Amino acid sequence: MIIAVDFDGTIVEQKYPKLGKEIPFATSTLKMLQEKGHQLILWTYRSGKKLDDAIEFCRSKGLEFYAVNKNYPEEVFESHISRKIKADMYIDDMNFGGLPDWGEIYQRITDPNRTNSKEKTHKKGLARIFG
């Protein structure tokens, strides 16, 4: 599955243009999704130095993306073409209902038939996944 992931408010706390602190389990969950074969695209409003800072933050956590703000690494971005990313799923804090915790995100992606009860996720999910 191709998953487009926002940065500010999703991987780190919303502090744009500064870098916020990592949202708990964000990078470790994304790395686990990569290990399961998912391709991750960093899809963010950031550009220039601010984008470089976001990429370096993720690298410092051991997270490398398949592509950044494009559909595939070799794509040439032209200013008259929309930056819309083609993905199977988008993880963004601006989703309807906000950003679920990363344990719930992981479970929904890896087991879509699972009941998405936040209570079950908080009690069992994070402890089982990261414990």
Side-chain angles (χ1 to χ4, degrees):
M1 180 182 320
I2 298 172
I3 304 171
V5 185
D6 181 37
F7 185 74
D8 294 288
T10 303
I11 294 175
V12 298
E13 295 172 348
Q14 181 62 265
K15 301 287 183 186
Y16 183 83
K18 297 179 181 179
L19 289 177
K21 293 191 314 188
E22 182 179 359
I23 293 176
F25 305 111
T27 57
S28 59
T29 302
L30 291 168
K31 288 189 298 187
M32 289 188 330
L33 290 170
Q34 283 180 323
E35 290 168 7
K36 290 199 168 279
H38 299 287
Q39 288 183 327
L40 304 181
I41 297 174
L42 181 62
W43 183 44
T44 177
Y45 177 76
R46 288 176 175 260
S47 62
K49 170 99 169 80
K50 292 174 184 68
L51 177 58
D52 293 341
D53 292 343
I55 293 168
E56 182 52 39
F57 173 87
C58 292
R59 279 189 183 134
S60 74
K61 303 290 186 179
L63 179 60
E64 292 278 344
F65 290 91
Y66 167 71
V68 177
N69 284 345
K70 45 189 165 180
N71 293 302
Y72 50 91
E74 301 82 17
E75 182 178 34
V76 176
F77 178 73
E78 298 178 26
S79 61
H80 66 278
I81 297 174
S82 171
R83 287 183 2 155
K84 182 105 176 173
I85 299 296
K86 181 185 180 311
D88 301 306
M89 178 178 291
Y90 301 84
I91 302 175
D92 192 320
D93 61 309
M94 300 305 284
N95 289 334
F96 180 77
L99 183 71
D101 67 51
W102 279 97
E104 184 173 340
I105 291 169
Y106 180 82
Q107 290 178 355
R108 283 186 182 182
I109 292 170
T110 59
D111 185 3
N113 297 319
R114 181 180 164 78
T115 306
N116 56 12
S117 163
K118 280 194 168 203
E119 184 174 313
K120 286 183 183 179
T121 299
H122 285 291
K123 288 183 179 175
K124 297 179 184 173
L126 290 176
R128 185 169 49 87
I129 292 170
F130 300 108

